[in-house]
Amino acid sequence: MGSSSGAAGGSMLACGVCPHGCRLHEGSFGICGARTVRSGKVASLSYGQATSLALDPVEKKPFARFHPGSMILSYGSYGCNLRCSFCQNSDISMVDAAGSLPTYFMSPENLIERAIELRAQGNIGVAFTYNEPFIAPEYLMDAARRARGEGLASAAVTNGYVAKPVWDEALSHLDALNIDLKCFSEEGYRLLGAPGGLAVVKRSIETALEAGVHVEVTTLVVPGFSDDEELFERECAWIASLDPSTPLHISRFFPAYRMIGAQPTPPAVLGLFQSIAKRYLAHVYLGNV
């Protein structure tokens, strides 16, 4: 992977899309592997570079209470600004622009044209998903603006580790968010390479709810990482303090990426966490079971 720092290539510029604030020069990559400096400006390398495009049930994102029973055109690219050892999509999230992952260009106009074509199959709009969409916010917002102009919904599935100005601007273009709350401790986020991550993601959830965007939260229960009962109860209480009707998805971990030798989340743990969540929240769902 390319470095986010180095002496070669002229002056350094700070990327402002996430809290990492990577300092970049011509030809280097940020932590996400998808941003660099071109012609003296920080630019997205993954703009419109599609790795995945599929018409999915909206529940698969997952959204349980946003147009249930509908379909949504799901777009994914590559790269991510976190480094989760348990990543469930590492084949696209943990690669960078120098990799050999096949991509094809899908302009915002073409994406929305495809979404319109799929209306007859129940499509309600577009979802930016599969990898972290906010490492290419330019594309997300360009496509979401066009979607709204055509009466289509826009949704994003994100880790929420996004710089406040970028997040706040995007909220005016999005109809729904599923935000991954990886754990409920700053120590946990430091292990993911995201200093201050819990505070940032909490702020993202709070401001999205305040903006009137439909928000659902997902927590992947990873053995040894996010399976602490006390911390999970604090998480549920905190979400309830914002809005107890916020849907929470409790997702089962399966061995992946750097945790390929681990065991899946025991069903009993999922059941326990579901019972804890239901004490605080009106809408609790189990995923990957």
Side-chain angles (χ1 to χ4, degrees):
M1 183 179 214
S3 172
S4 62
S5 62
S11 61
M12 309 287 284
L13 296 177
C15 177
V17 303
C18 90
H20 285 300
C22 295
R23 296 188 62 78
L24 307 171
H25 58 74
E26 294 267 352
S28 72
F29 303 154
I31 285 171
C32 65
R35 300 188 71 78
T36 191
V37 172
R38 278 181 174 164
S39 304
K41 294 182 180 180
V42 177
S44 168
L45 289 163
S46 60
Y47 186 101
Q49 296 299 319
T51 59
S52 309
L53 192 68
L55 186 64
D56 289 330
V58 73
E59 289 83 359
K60 189 177 176 182
K61 297 302 91 193
F63 287 107
R65 303 186 69 82
F66 181 70
H67 298 284
S70 300
M71 306 294 284
I72 195 160
L73 180 61
S74 299
Y75 166 93
S77 186
Y78 64 87
C80 185
N81 59 344
L82 297 188
R83 284 296 172 266
C84 305
S85 59
F86 46 81
C87 181
Q88 304 285 287
N89 286 317
S90 61
D91 55 331
I92 59 172
S93 292
M94 296 298 131
V95 300
D96 61 32
S100 57
L101 188 69
T103 64
Y104 56 94
F105 184 69
M106 172 72 67
S107 70
E109 296 85 353
N110 289 343
L111 180 65
I112 303 312
E113 286 169 7
R114 183 65 180 140
I116 292 169
E117 291 169 2
L118 291 167
R119 272 178 163 152
Q121 296 181 42
N123 182 43
I124 61 163
V126 291
F128 305 92
T129 179
Y130 302 133
N131 75 306
E132 176 49 55
F134 275 90
I135 60 173
E138 304 92 341
Y139 184 82
L140 183 153
M141 287 188 257
D142 285 350
R145 286 188 198 99
R146 287 172 171 79
R148 184 159 288 174
E150 297 291 344
L152 293 163
S154 292
V157 181
T158 173
N159 60 37
Y161 192 62
V162 181
K164 188 177 187 301
V166 174
W167 184 258
D168 290 348
E169 183 182 355
L171 291 179
S172 64
H173 303 295
L174 291 169
D175 301 289
L177 284 157
N178 187 297
I179 302 172
D180 276 325
L181 186 48
K182 304 288 185 180
C183 60
F184 210 64
S185 74
E186 286 293 3
E187 179 186 1
Y189 271 93
R190 281 196 296 273
L191 292 172
L192 306 182
L198 178 60
V200 171
V201 178
K202 287 171 70 176
R203 183 198 69 210
S204 294
I205 293 170
E206 290 170 0
T207 53
L209 286 167
E210 289 167 359
V213 177
H214 177 86
V215 174
E216 305 198 14
V217 176
T218 296
T219 293
L220 181 69
V221 183
V222 181
F225 176 74
S226 52
D227 60 348
D228 182 288
E229 294 171 37
E230 181 183 349
L231 289 176
F232 181 71
E233 184 158 4
R234 286 187 205 168
E235 173 185 325
C236 296
W238 175 77
I239 296 170
S241 74
L242 303 177
D243 183 351
S245 68
T246 303
L248 174 63
H249 300 263
I250 301 168
S251 192
R252 189 182 190 197
F253 161 81
F254 284 97
Y257 194 39
R258 292 177 179 162
M259 291 185 66
I260 200 70
Q263 293 299 309
T265 316
V269 172
L270 295 174
L272 173 61
F273 274 37
Q274 184 180 38
S275 67
I276 292 171
K278 283 184 173 180
R279 294 178 208 155
Y280 298 91
L281 300 165
H283 307 295
V284 180
Y285 305 91
L286 292 183
N288 289 347
V289 292

